[in-house]
Amino acid sequence: MPTTSLGTVVAENAIRFLGHDTHQHDEPHLVYVVTGSARLTADGRQWRLGRNEALWLAPRVPHALRIDPGGMALGPFLDSADQPRCRIQPLGAVPALTEVMTTALGAAPTTPEQVEPFRQALGRVLRGISRQYFPVVLPVHPAVRALAREALRTPAATLESLAERHRMSARQVQRVFLDETGLPFTRWRNRARMNAAVEHLRGGGELTTAARAAGYATRAGLLRALSRESGVPVNALTADAVGALGGG
């Protein structure tokens, strides 16, 4: 497998090399697709990553990568302090990450001293985009915690359908959310979705792609939701969302 000290994985010869089998690392790890597309399997789940899309892995997450013919992916290791909020954190296409990765490819660092500035730059970008703008915490109750994670993956699912799948009543779920997060379920999910959008915007993304990343049908829907929750007028968010929300 062709590699560099940045952890590069390159499909230089698609017949010889299309990725790597299941393994894990002791450090946080980023998977970033430079060109083409790839399929990542981690913790038994699959993600399809396109050009410039990234996924952030915590230490010791078993994962395997398959790169489509002609594609290229980078897999830089991160400092131990640069941990994702969960074991597997999809990032989508973040322009600030693309800038660091493109610069690293051009510089082709080979020694630890040459690699370190790029590792620090990645850490700054990841820490910047992963700060929660609207504080939310996951419930402690195991079944409700699992329901909360599913709710973020399926934004169109109703509380009633989610509660039924987890063998609870909607009233039980609401009570646990209020007791353990301080928020009703709907507001908790909206805040978590908006955090994903703000994360994307902080990384240099546009409002339309941020809305899509957070599960909103339109940028107008995202702007209205952000305005309601933050108190910032829609016109200010439209002109400069990151600045209006307090900077990058």
Side-chain angles (χ1 to χ4, degrees):
M1 176 173 66
T3 61
T4 74
S5 53
L6 268 179
T8 308
V9 178
V10 183
E12 294 175 332
N13 184 328
I15 296 174
R16 279 194 299 113
F17 177 68
L18 292 175
H20 52 64
D21 293 325
T22 302
H23 66 292
Q24 56 184 290
H25 305 292
D26 292 331
E27 307 94 339
H29 180 50
L30 196 70
V31 176
Y32 173 85
V33 174
V34 180
T35 59
S37 58
R39 184 177 71 253
L40 182 84
T41 303
D43 273 355
R45 296 165 58 194
Q46 287 195 354
W47 284 264
R48 189 75 180 176
L49 301 176
R51 181 174 178 267
N52 295 339
E53 291 187 331
L55 192 143
W56 190 0
L57 297 174
R60 294 175 292 283
V61 172
H63 62 282
L65 184 69
R66 287 291 174 267
I67 304 171
D68 290 342
M72 176 190 295
L74 301 179
F77 301 128
L78 306 168
D79 285 340
S80 58
D82 293 328
Q83 301 275 353
R85 289 199 306 269
C86 51
R87 282 173 60 81
I88 305 163
Q89 185 174 342
L91 297 174
V94 178
L97 279 181
T98 298
E99 183 178 353
V100 175
M101 292 298 196
T102 302
T103 305
L105 273 173
T110 56
T111 68
E113 292 76 14
Q114 292 170 342
V115 168
E116 188 58 27
F118 294 102
R119 196 190 311 275
Q120 291 178 6
L122 283 175
R124 286 193 296 271
V125 171
L126 293 170
R127 289 191 299 272
I129 65 176
S130 65
R131 293 193 310 271
Q132 288 189 341
Y133 186 81
F134 301 106
V136 291
V137 296
L138 279 169
V140 176
H141 187 290
V144 179
R145 192 180 184 92
L147 180 150
R149 287 178 168 146
E150 183 180 350
L152 296 181
R153 295 195 301 270
T154 56
T158 65
L159 172 58
E160 289 72 20
S161 65
L162 289 165
E164 184 177 355
R165 282 202 289 275
H166 290 268
R167 299 182 180 181
M168 300 181 72
S169 71
R171 180 174 294 182
Q172 284 178 297
V173 174
Q174 284 282 29
R175 184 169 62 249
V176 172
F177 264 93
L178 282 171
D179 289 346
E180 297 188 359
T181 74
L183 297 170
F185 167 79
T186 299
R187 190 176 181 197
W188 181 93
R189 178 158 68 174
N190 286 341
R191 277 186 159 220
R193 291 171 63 199
M194 285 184 280
N195 279 338
V198 173
E199 183 176 289
H200 193 83
L201 292 168
R202 282 173 169 164
E206 298 178 345
L207 278 166
T208 301
T209 53
R212 192 179 306 119
Y216 287 88
T218 64
R219 58 178 270 162
L222 169 63
L223 286 168
R224 287 193 297 270
L226 284 171
S227 181
R228 281 195 303 269
E229 194 65 32
S230 68
V232 177
V234 168
N235 59 350
L237 291 168
T238 303
D240 178 8
V242 174
L245 292 171

